[in-house]
Amino acid sequence: MSLELLSSTKVFDGRQQQYRHYSDTLDCDMRFSVFLPPLSDRMEKGQRFPVLYWLSGLTCTDENFSQKAGAQRMAAELGIALVIPDTSPRGDNVPDDGDYDLGQGAGFYLNATQAPWKSHYRMYDYVLEELPGLVEANFPVTGRRAIAGHSMGGHGALVVALRNRGRFTSVSAFSPVCNPISCPWGEKAFSAYLGADRSSWEEYDATVLVSRATEHLPMLISQGEDDEFLERQLKPNALEAAADAAGYPVRIEHHAGYDHSYYFIASFIEQHLRFHADYLLRP
């Protein structure tokens, strides 16, 4: 599969790059961004970087996190590659909707089963299989993976990790949509993408998945207490209650005064990267 390099910028002695490729899974051209830390003596001996996959939120592209989160400094120091996919399939032939919370920019990291979405909206498979395969075939990375995200992307990170035992070393999220089957964003998207059978929605709901989990993956969630979407859309209390009932040791931190923006992410991204490094960099 061919990759087209769109840009490459030096940052903290590493490289922030953006690529385009044709996705068989999504049946369209896709972009993703990669940060590769600087080479070191250990790299010259043939070792490679573990990867943190970052999933962004509604209306975002692969550029929001790479430009606003300030993650490269700590990723360079720790020796962790960052891979940031776009949030949905895109293009003139890809179905869309006039609202910001459905269609292009709002893929919800699921595999759609309903027309007209099902031919292209398969972000779950793309993030789980196609993109890691592409990254691991073309970049100096290992097969050790962690996953994180924000808002809709936090939902995606939790779901992908919880559904795939052993695939990731750890998972974290900022302000995730924790219980999408019971919030307006999730109900709208799931109705369109998955249809009226609400039982099929449960496979993409972190609160439900935590209650069923047989593996206790290291999990960190950061939530701002001044987040405008906290009560109506995000519902971290539902996830926390399900985790407590199931004995799942999720770490949920509430931060006074912080909102839903990338200022919040930038304030705590170092903590999240160090959290993942504890598991990604183990011998």
Side-chain angles (χ1 to χ4, degrees):
M1 187 181 297
S2 61
L3 286 176
E4 178 187 359
L5 178 64
L6 300 178
S7 66
S8 182
T9 303
K10 186 173 183 179
V11 55
F12 295 105
D13 290 327
R15 303 299 301 185
Q16 181 67 51
Q17 300 177 322
Q18 187 182 59
Y19 289 87
R20 179 165 54 215
H21 73 104
Y22 180 79
S23 167
D24 289 329
T25 301
L26 305 177
D27 193 21
C28 66
D29 286 336
M30 286 293 287
R31 292 187 328 193
F32 67 94
S33 293
V34 176
F35 172 72
L36 294 174
L39 297 177
S40 64
D41 290 341
R42 67 184 181 86
M43 290 296 297
E44 293 168 3
K45 296 173 183 175
Q47 297 184 22
R48 295 169 171 247
F49 301 116
V51 180
L52 174 66
Y53 288 86
W54 175 271
L55 307 185
S56 297
L58 287 168
T59 76
C60 291
T61 70
D62 59 299
E63 295 180 334
N64 295 72
F65 180 77
S66 60
Q67 294 178 1
K68 296 180 178 181
Q72 292 92 342
R73 179 186 63 81
M74 186 51 52
E77 179 180 320
L78 294 170
I80 295 173
L82 306 173
V83 174
I84 309 108
D86 201 349
T87 54
S88 78
R90 296 186 192 267
D92 293 340
N93 296 321
V94 175
D96 199 7
D97 185 88
D99 291 337
Y100 76 96
D101 53 359
L102 186 67
Q104 295 187 35
F108 272 87
Y109 302 100
L110 50 72
N111 289 337
T113 59
Q114 305 299 303
W117 313 102
K118 63 182 180 180
S119 296
H120 296 281
Y121 284 76
R122 302 187 61 82
M123 287 297 294
Y124 178 87
D125 281 353
Y126 179 73
V127 168
L128 180 65
E129 299 291 350
E130 186 176 18
L131 182 60
L134 187 64
V135 168
E136 290 167 19
N138 289 279
F139 298 94
V141 300
T142 70
R144 290 183 68 82
R145 313 171 197 93
I147 192 165
H150 171 233
S151 194
M152 178 188 72
H155 141 76
L158 294 173
V159 166
V160 171
L162 286 166
R163 287 183 56 178
N164 293 277
R165 183 173 181 173
R167 184 77 167 173
F168 301 95
T169 63
S170 48
V171 59
S172 74
F174 288 85
S175 314
V177 182
C178 293
N179 193 199
I181 65 174
S182 298
C183 78
W185 280 342
E187 290 176 341
K188 178 178 179 178
F190 288 11
S191 294
Y193 295 142
L194 301 174
D197 181 6
R198 295 179 69 97
S199 65
S200 68
W201 300 7
E202 294 181 354
E203 292 301 308
Y204 297 103
D205 187 293
T207 295
V208 174
L209 295 173
V210 159
S211 70
R212 300 173 178 173
T214 58
E215 176 192 38
H216 290 168
L217 188 68
M219 182 185 298
L220 169 64
I221 294 174
S222 295
Q223 176 62 60
E225 292 184 352
D226 280 10
D227 192 317
E228 63 182 300
F229 304 113
L230 177 59
E231 299 300 330
R232 189 161 186 253
Q233 303 284 10
L234 306 181
K235 299 183 179 293
N237 291 340
L239 177 64
E240 192 165 19
D244 287 345
Y248 197 113
V250 59
R251 178 176 162 193
I252 301 180
E253 298 185 350
H254 298 268
H255 297 278
Y258 285 93
D259 60 15
H260 199 71
S261 71
Y262 265 83
Y263 294 113
F264 176 43
I265 297 170
S267 297
F268 296 97
I269 191 63
E270 179 176 339
Q271 178 197 16
H272 280 242
L273 287 169
R274 290 190 182 279
F275 166 77
H276 290 292
D278 284 345
Y279 304 99
L280 282 172
L281 301 178
R282 286 181 178 178

